[in-house]
Amino acid sequence: MAKQYETVIGLEVHVELATKTKIFCGCSTAFGGAPNTHTCPVCTGMPGSLPVLNKQVVNYAMAVGLATNCTITQYCKFDRKNYFYPDNPQNYQISQLYLPICRNGYVDIETSEGKKSVGIHEIHMEEDAGKLIHDEWEDCSLVDYNRSGVPLIEIVSEPDMRSAEEVIAYLEKLRMIVQYLGVSDCKLNEGSMRADVNLSVREVGAETFGTRTEMKNLNSFRAITHAIAGERERQIELLETGQQVTQETRRWDDTKEYSYAMRSKEDAQDYRYFPDPDLVPVYISDAWLQQVRDNQPEFREEKMARYKKEFDIPEYDIGIITDSKHLADLFEETVAICGQPKKVSNWLMGETLRLLKEKNMDPEDICFSPQNLARLIGLVDSKAVNSTVAKEIFEVMFAEDIDPEKYVEEKGLKTVNDEGALRKIIEEVIAANPQSVEDYRGGKQKAIGFLVGQTMKAMKGKADPGMVNKVLKELL
Amino acid sequence: MDILAYSAVELSAAIKAGKVTAVEAMEAVFARIDEKESTVNAYVTIDREQAFKTATITQEKIEKGELTGMLAGVPVAIKDNLCTEGIRTTCSSKILENFVPTFSAEAVLNLEKAGAVMIGKTNMDEFAMGSTTETSAYGVTRNPWNTDHVPGGSSGGSAAAVAAGECFFALGSDTGGSIRQPASFCGVVGLKPTYGTVSRYGLVAYGSSLDQIGPLTKNVADCAAVLEAIASHDTKDSTSVERKDTDFTTALIDDVKGMKIGIPRDYFGEGLDSEVKDAVFAAAKTLAAKGAVVEEFDLSLVEYAIPTYYTIAAAEASSNLERFDGIKYGYRAASYKGLHDMYKKTRSEGFGAEVKRRIMLGSFVLSSGYYDAYYLKALKVKAMIKKAFDEAFAKYDLILGPVAPTTAPKIGESLSDPLKMYLGDIYTISVNLAGLPGISLPCGIDTKGLPIGLQLIADSFQEKRLIQAAYTYEQTYSKEMR
């Protein structure tokens, strides 16, 4: 019988923190500036410049640590990781090796196999590098230091995961935590969240781990899933044919769906880590720690439980709404204005999700305000607009966050509630459609639908369907 | 009166009194530079035009009463490892031969605010690595007392410029004695402040945890005035300390009555030149005669200072100097194939032998498998050395000893035996390891006609004690010498 193999996976996840300024200087972290415009002597490694720690980075790292049940290292230090590469202006990266800010945490995940805990080995703070751009035409490389010094945290898990499904559940969980904390945008495809996968295989029941490889360049959940499957297969094949797995770093090519070796352990660099003498140790007082603890937000699980108690909406809806902090905030703020959780939920679950999917957007990209959504709900409630018109208005609101009340006024979309005018139109519709009238009178109840439709068309949609039905039945 | 005979503080007073102008002072300095510089070679870069332009503006400001400080109008020389905006800063290395900083060091800005006028940048051992100023890529600096001899190092250019009258005072940097030892060799006053007193922002780092900027001056009063001007709390330097006691000139008091001074026996052992020993003991007797309580004691761990220092300083230097890679600024090899070849050739051609030696040493002690045995152990010894000083300062206000085992050696004698050269740092480096302030001041001249230096060491933040004792000693010494 063929041997059964188990996959053992640990993750190193880099999260770019959403601070306004860089970790060791006052330069902006904003995306999209012209090359080397968000730079200064510190983040370009000019001689004589010195780093000064941005305290907000420590706050954010601590918040993530507390949310992942870590122990906070109240006396922590920064170390230099030395390696030569042009994207790294000092030729050393300021990171944490010996005393990382968070250690020994865990997060709970849930998959089709059930619930489980994934250990967090450590979380450390470090700086991002610049970006190298190769100019094929001029045959030279250019470097942009705008990203140099952007703060990162690296979350290192224990080798506790056994499948791609667990890996995705773990990443989703981290993303949720980070998003709820508001410490990062956490977008895999934009690089604000990056995952390296450490993977080994062993025979089921084995006590020790096999030799692992590290895979880099995984920028989507899809890539991660495929890379895990591919690497598992590659390693098993090596073992089955009597070969050995080499400890090495491999780069995943998502278009070719193949990974290739970048460097092996033999030519692994010696980073010569040592404490950075330019930075003083970070001492986190009990008061500081407590302050961060007190400022922790309500996380998803607590939010779901509260919604269940407070709002009469389906559990499924609660799950979807709380899946995004932004959506949940939008929900709560709108409910606070209009007091109608069910209706707010319907707009979010229905039209909002439909448009997000259609436009391939994330909930974080929603631009309309809770005030405007509440106004739209008010317009429908007061029968100022009917539901069809409301959906049209919503679509405009979704795109540009317009004020629906003003919009209705400007475009003349108010429902006509003048029964006299309606009666006149309906009389014309009846006159123009004798066949349908006859069918209805002959007992075909469905025929009235056609007549309602014709009336709405003649009214350009601005009629209350209830009133149309009522008047139609009277006249027929 | 001969303008060059003024001390820095005296010159500024004379300018403010209208007896002489800042421009005349600059003219006197340049007359001396024209006369001496071709032999002494104290400077790497001199900006004559800018110096006179600034002197003219400064004179106007003094006349308008906008500049009233103790150093207003005084020509100053700056060690070439301190960044100066718009003026090239080479660290006496080929690798920075064309490097022009975009900003000035905080200490330089503080001097500008005080109204001092920069003449140029002084020669040094390459990246401050050396004890003779012979490792400079821009030629050796000669000792003005005897031009066959070295001026000491690494701030040899600064010390020689002060001694030769090519400036009124200078800034240096001290990682293991680089201010105090050349001050001693050139017969001037040099002070290394408590770590964190002067901002390191803009000082091209050698050993970051040990580096401090400090003054080289003609006398103790100037030394106090310059320290007062450059000491500042700087939020750009995480290791900068906020001090409220930087009015150092208030310590210029001729009185050491009751001051307790300890002489470490360990500083007077084998290797110490007898003439130096006699001069230093004579100085101790002078202070005792002025009322100080002087006694000998055993300062432990002295023999561990050198290996500890060369481990830590080299480790930090190996990392600090990584940024000089030919990518962003400075020298780049003319021909190369690909990135790694460019790195290799640039650094092989750009750095001198002593710098390479320390980069290799530092890389070795930090490498995997050796970190614990060397670097970490050195940090532990460093902490123990600090503790030994703490114990000494529980008993004494000051520690007194020599600055260096000998007076200035001849040019060419030192570099062939680097280990011997390293041993010459024995009395100065533990002060850096413990982060303490130390001052070097003249206490005699040997039979070769070369100056001998006296070193006083105080506990952290006790510069005022140093200055008071040095000032008191200087009063007697100056009288004897004149």
Side-chain angles (χ1 to χ4, degrees):
Chain A
M1 201 189 117
K3 287 175 183 167
Q4 293 290 307
Y5 288 93
E6 176 181 53
T7 321
V8 175
I9 307 164
L11 252 53
E12 288 168 24
V13 178
H14 284 91
V15 176
E16 202 172 273
L17 299 178
T19 52
K20 287 196 181 71
T21 55
K22 293 184 178 180
I23 183 166
F24 297 121
C25 63
C27 291
S28 166
T29 56
F31 253 109
N36 295 306
T37 52
H38 298 165
T39 56
C40 74
V42 177
C43 57
T44 53
M46 298 304 269
S49 66
L50 293 169
V52 176
L53 177 62
N54 178 350
K55 245 185 154 182
Q56 190 63 18
V57 175
V58 184
N59 284 327
Y60 281 1
M62 265 198 278
V64 175
L66 290 173
T68 52
N69 309 295
C70 286
T71 308
I72 305 297
T73 315
Q74 287 182 262
Y75 177 83
C76 75
K77 278 184 182 178
F78 283 94
D79 303 297
R80 291 187 187 174
K81 178 182 182 179
N82 299 282
Y83 67 95
F84 278 80
Y85 204 64
D87 65 0
N88 174 1
Q90 307 142 146
N91 286 318
Y92 58 81
Q93 180 196 30
I94 305 177
S95 179
Q96 294 191 294
L97 177 75
Y98 296 109
L99 291 169
I101 184 159
C102 312
R103 283 193 279 217
N104 300 328
Y106 65 89
V107 294
D108 293 324
I109 58 165
E110 198 172 347
T111 64
S112 56
E113 305 273 303
K115 287 185 182 181
K116 100 179 242 183
S117 231
V118 175
I120 307 276
H121 181 75
E122 67 169 66
I123 301 175
H124 60 255
M125 304 176 274
E126 61 186 27
E127 55 178 345
D128 205 350
K131 208 168 120 190
L132 275 187
I133 301 142
H134 192 70
D135 187 329
E136 305 271 351
W137 183 253
E138 296 281 344
D139 191 29
C140 67
S141 290
L142 303 166
V143 59
D144 175 7
Y145 289 124
N146 282 354
R147 304 315 293 161
S148 165
V150 168
L152 303 174
I153 50 171
E154 183 175 337
I155 306 169
V156 183
S157 85
E158 298 291 355
D160 286 349
M161 287 158 277
R162 298 290 176 266
S163 66
E165 195 195 355
E166 287 184 2
V167 168
I168 303 300
Y170 170 75
L171 285 170
E172 284 284 12
K173 181 74 182 214
L174 285 188
R175 185 164 78 168
M176 188 74 61
I177 287 169
V178 165
Q179 213 180 62
Y180 265 76
L181 287 167
V183 303
S184 172
D185 308 332
C186 236
K187 288 182 180 170
L188 215 54
N189 54 353
E190 280 178 22
S192 56
M193 186 172 174
R194 308 192 277 263
D196 299 338
V197 172
N198 286 297
L199 185 149
S200 64
V201 295
R202 62 176 174 189
E203 272 189 68
V204 171
E207 293 277 308
T208 53
F209 292 131
T211 305
R212 72 188 147 87
T213 60
E214 180 180 355
M215 265 182 304
K216 287 185 179 290
N217 196 38
L218 304 167
N219 38 32
S220 68
F221 283 170
R222 200 191 78 99
I224 290 169
T225 309
H226 287 203
I228 288 172
E231 183 60 13
R232 177 188 148 90
E233 225 165 280
R234 194 188 68 86
Q235 290 191 12
I236 291 174
E237 197 177 308
L238 282 173
L239 297 177
E240 290 281 301
T241 53
Q243 299 175 73
Q244 284 189 332
V245 176
T246 315
Q247 186 173 339
E248 62 192 0
T249 305
R250 302 180 67 84
R251 189 180 164 85
W252 176 254
D253 188 328
D254 205 31
T255 46
K256 291 181 187 149
E257 299 215 340
Y258 177 75
S259 71
Y260 56 92
M262 285 167 77
R263 52 173 184 263
S264 74
K265 196 190 174 189
E266 285 77 58
D267 45 58
Q269 300 189 46
D270 183 348
Y271 291 119
R272 292 176 286 118
Y273 278 100
F274 76 108
D276 192 328
D278 286 333
L279 289 160
V280 288
V282 185
Y283 178 67
I284 299 161
S285 65
D286 292 343
W288 185 3
L289 184 58
Q290 193 54 44
Q291 199 187 339
V292 174
R293 215 185 281 279
D294 292 344
N295 285 334
Q296 291 290 84
E298 179 187 46
F299 286 103
R300 191 185 181 201
E301 290 74 15
E302 306 157 73
K303 212 181 256 302
M304 286 172 80
R306 182 166 62 82
Y307 281 16
K308 255 183 235 175
K309 248 195 279 170
E310 279 180 24
F311 309 120
D312 178 29
I313 54 173
E315 208 166 320
Y316 177 78
D317 294 15
I318 292 177
I320 300 280
I321 289 169
T322 57
D323 191 45
S324 149
K325 169 88 166 22
H326 187 73
L327 211 56
D329 287 346
L330 192 58
F331 172 76
E332 286 182 46
E333 282 164 40
T334 314
V335 170
I337 299 167
C338 73
Q340 302 195 76
K342 185 70 200 148
K343 283 181 183 162
V344 178
S345 166
N346 285 345
W347 277 108
L348 296 181
M349 295 298 298
E351 286 303 284
T352 307
L353 289 186
R354 182 181 70 77
L355 288 168
L356 284 176
K357 199 172 171 196
E358 190 181 300
K359 298 186 194 301
N360 197 20
M361 286 161 64
D362 288 328
E364 284 64 46
D365 304 326
I366 293 171
C367 75
F368 64 82
S369 67
Q371 287 77 16
N372 284 337
L373 179 56
R375 281 185 192 119
L376 184 62
I377 290 170
L379 286 173
V380 178
D381 281 353
S382 65
K383 303 206 168 160
V385 297
N386 63 42
S387 65
T388 315
V389 174
K391 280 181 188 170
E392 284 165 24
I393 297 169
F394 182 81
E395 213 157 320
V396 183
M397 202 175 91
F398 184 88
E400 331 169 26
D401 191 27
I402 46 106
D403 176 343
E405 286 170 6
K406 276 189 196 151
Y407 186 79
V408 162
E409 210 63 55
E410 279 165 19
K411 302 272 169 179
L413 292 176
K414 256 204 172 130
T415 304
V416 179
N417 287 321
D418 175 352
E419 209 177 304
L422 186 64
R423 205 169 271 275
K424 208 175 147 211
I425 298 268
I426 291 176
E427 277 165 3
E428 283 169 26
V429 170
I430 290 173
N433 296 286
Q435 186 59 50
S436 301
V437 174
E438 204 167 303
D439 288 349
Y440 178 74
R441 285 180 180 147
K444 281 190 187 168
Q445 290 292 320
K446 271 189 190 165
I448 199 164
F450 176 76
L451 294 170
V452 171
Q454 288 300 303
T455 309
M456 291 304 277
K457 196 174 165 190
M459 295 287 289
K460 294 196 175 87
K462 293 184 290 181
D464 173 8
M467 194 186 285
V468 173
N469 254 302
K470 187 186 126 219
V471 176
L472 249 178
K473 279 180 186 161
E474 275 172 35
L475 292 179
L476 289 170
Chain B
M1 181 178 175
D2 174 16
I3 293 175
L4 292 179
Y6 282 127
S7 74
V9 172
E10 286 165 357
L11 172 66
S12 183
I15 293 172
K16 279 172 281 186
K19 289 185 205 157
V20 53
T21 68
V23 178
E24 284 165 355
M26 195 57 82
E27 281 165 355
V29 162
F30 271 99
R32 180 59 67 87
I33 287 174
D34 291 341
E35 179 195 337
K36 296 266 187 182
E37 185 58 8
S38 59
T39 342
V40 175
N41 190 35
Y43 289 92
V44 175
T45 304
I46 292 176
D47 194 340
R48 193 180 289 248
E49 197 184 325
Q50 186 62 41
F52 277 102
K53 221 161 115 188
T54 313
T56 308
I57 297 165
T58 305
Q59 179 63 30
E60 283 165 15
K61 284 186 183 166
I62 292 169
E63 282 167 16
K64 282 189 213 156
E66 289 168 19
L67 274 174
T68 57
M70 283 181 286
L71 300 172
V74 182
V76 58
I78 305 290
K79 189 177 181 180
D80 209 21
N81 60 351
L82 286 156
C83 288
T84 43
E85 186 182 342
I87 295 164
R88 78 170 182 152
T89 298
T90 69
C91 294
S92 288
S93 179
K94 185 182 175 185
I95 212 158
L96 287 178
E97 62 185 358
N98 294 316
F99 175 65
V100 179
T102 57
F103 65 96
S104 287
E106 192 70 8
V108 171
L109 292 176
N110 285 340
L111 281 185
E112 272 174 23
K113 265 182 245 155
V117 186
M118 189 172 79
I119 305 157
K121 307 297 291 292
T122 56
N123 201 13
M124 54 188 277
D125 281 297
E126 185 180 5
F127 284 106
M129 297 176 192
S131 312
T132 63
T133 314
E134 292 171 291
T135 70
S136 167
Y138 304 99
V140 298
T141 295
R142 290 170 182 275
N143 192 320
W145 290 72
N146 182 336
T147 51
D148 290 335
H149 290 254
V150 302
S154 66
S155 310
S158 288
V162 175
E166 292 187 50
C167 66
F168 282 84
F169 74 97
L171 288 191
S173 68
D174 191 318
T175 309
S178 282
I179 289 174
R180 289 159 290 155
Q181 185 255 32
S184 164
F185 285 5
C186 291
V188 300
V189 176
L191 185 144
K192 182 251 154 195
T194 306
Y195 188 75
T197 300
V198 180
S199 167
R200 292 187 297 115
Y201 196 83
L203 168 67
V204 182
Y206 159 26
S208 313
S209 70
L210 309 166
D211 295 341
Q212 264 295 286
I213 297 163
L216 289 113
T217 57
K218 294 180 176 185
N219 63 27
V220 178
D222 281 2
C223 179
V226 175
L227 183 60
E228 198 165 303
I230 62 175
S232 66
H233 176 58
D234 183 5
T235 51
K236 296 189 298 304
D237 175 1
S238 309
T239 62
S240 171
V241 176
E242 191 167 7
R243 292 183 65 169
K244 297 204 162 46
D245 62 339
T246 54
D247 53 340
F248 298 109
T249 48
T250 60
L252 295 166
I253 303 162
D254 183 3
D255 180 20
V256 287
K257 269 186 217 82
M259 207 180 264
K260 282 183 247 162
I261 299 176
I263 301 181
R265 281 188 199 97
D266 325 63
Y267 279 21
F268 294 85
E270 208 183 325
L272 180 63
D273 181 276
S274 62
E275 286 189 75
V276 174
K277 185 178 176 176
D278 293 347
V280 172
F281 266 121
K285 284 195 181 122
T286 304
L287 284 168
K290 294 276 272 180
V293 182
V294 183
E295 63 178 52
E296 292 189 24
F297 77 106
D298 293 314
L299 178 69
S300 59
L301 301 170
V302 172
E303 67 270 34
Y304 296 105
I306 287 173
T308 303
Y309 168 82
Y310 278 96
T311 303
I312 293 172
E316 292 177 3
S318 72
S319 175
N320 285 333
L321 269 55
E322 281 164 354
R323 66 187 65 201
F324 307 109
D325 59 3
I327 299 271
K328 306 162 292 277
Y329 42 71
Y331 176 79
R332 182 189 288 188
S335 70
Y336 50 85
K337 282 183 198 135
L339 180 65
H340 282 271
D341 193 44
M342 193 276 279
Y343 282 151
K344 257 187 220 170
K345 287 202 172 119
T346 296
R347 289 168 65 84
S348 297
E349 294 164 19
F351 288 135
E354 184 60 30
V355 170
K356 284 178 196 162
R357 184 173 7 253
R358 296 195 196 186
I359 289 175
M360 284 191 284
L361 178 62
S363 302
F364 174 75
V365 298
L366 288 178
S367 55
S368 146
Y370 298 99
Y371 178 82
D372 290 2
Y374 295 107
Y375 185 74
L376 217 54
K377 191 172 277 178
L379 286 188
K380 284 176 191 158
V381 179
K382 182 187 179 206
M384 287 165 76
I385 288 172
K386 171 82 174 89
K387 204 170 149 252
F389 274 106
D390 287 346
E391 282 163 13
F393 287 118
K395 286 187 281 180
Y396 306 109
D397 297 314
L398 293 175
I399 290 171
L400 178 150
V403 180
T406 64
T407 53
K410 277 195 169 159
I411 289 167
E413 273 180 359
S414 307
L415 293 190
S416 56
D417 189 351
L419 205 59
K420 194 178 156 205
M421 182 174 81
Y422 296 171
L423 290 172
D425 301 338
I426 183 146
Y427 309 128
T428 46
I429 52 182
S430 43
V431 169
N432 300 76
L433 289 170
L436 306 172
I439 193 169
S440 164
L441 68 159
C443 72
I445 291 167
D446 72 0
T447 45
K448 287 175 274 185
L450 292 167
I452 300 168
L454 166 73
Q455 181 175 215
L456 297 170
I457 302 163
D459 201 357
S460 296
F461 309 115
Q462 299 301 326
E463 279 87 350
K464 283 185 181 172
R465 264 186 207 157
L466 278 188
I467 288 164
Q468 185 171 340
Y471 182 75
T472 304
Y473 175 74
E474 186 183 57
Q475 299 310 304
T476 2
Y477 177 71
S478 303
K479 270 178 216 145
E480 282 167 15
M481 293 302 291
R482 273 170 194 167

